[in-house]
Amino acid sequence: MEIVVDAGDTTRTYEVVASRAGRRVETAVRRGVVEVSEVTRTGAVVRTARFMANRVLALVEQPIPREESSDKAG
């Protein structure tokens, strides 16, 4: 997930990824704060990035492409 944030005179881009198999990235907006968290299968939060909601310009989710199997009949 890419987060684009207004940093005054420029923009900054941050990236939060699911670093291991079985993990996912969740997004929540609470009380003017955008939280992007990496979560395990059991729901335990590994790490969290927090941004002021009025500074966030874009949240871009980029799914990982699946590999095509070579033995798949077309």
Side-chain angles (χ1 to χ4, degrees):
M1 165 104 33
E2 285 186 33
I3 304 100
V4 181
V5 179
D6 178 17
D9 58 344
T10 185
T11 61
R12 292 194 180 189
T13 303
Y14 299 92
E15 191 171 319
V16 177
V17 296
S19 59
R20 292 187 178 177
R23 292 189 179 171
R24 63 187 184 276
V25 176
E26 293 184 351
T27 305
V29 180
R30 296 185 190 111
R31 295 185 177 188
V33 176
V34 176
E35 291 184 352
V36 182
S37 302
E38 181 181 357
V39 182
T40 64
R41 288 182 181 151
T42 61
V45 176
V46 177
R47 60 188 174 127
T48 300
R50 291 183 180 96
F51 305 93
M52 293 175 52
N54 61 350
R55 295 286 188 173
V56 175
L57 301 175
L59 294 171
V60 182
E61 184 177 2
Q62 298 179 346
I64 298 173
R66 295 184 179 180
E67 294 180 15
E68 298 288 329
S69 62
S70 60
D71 57 351
K72 187 176 179 181

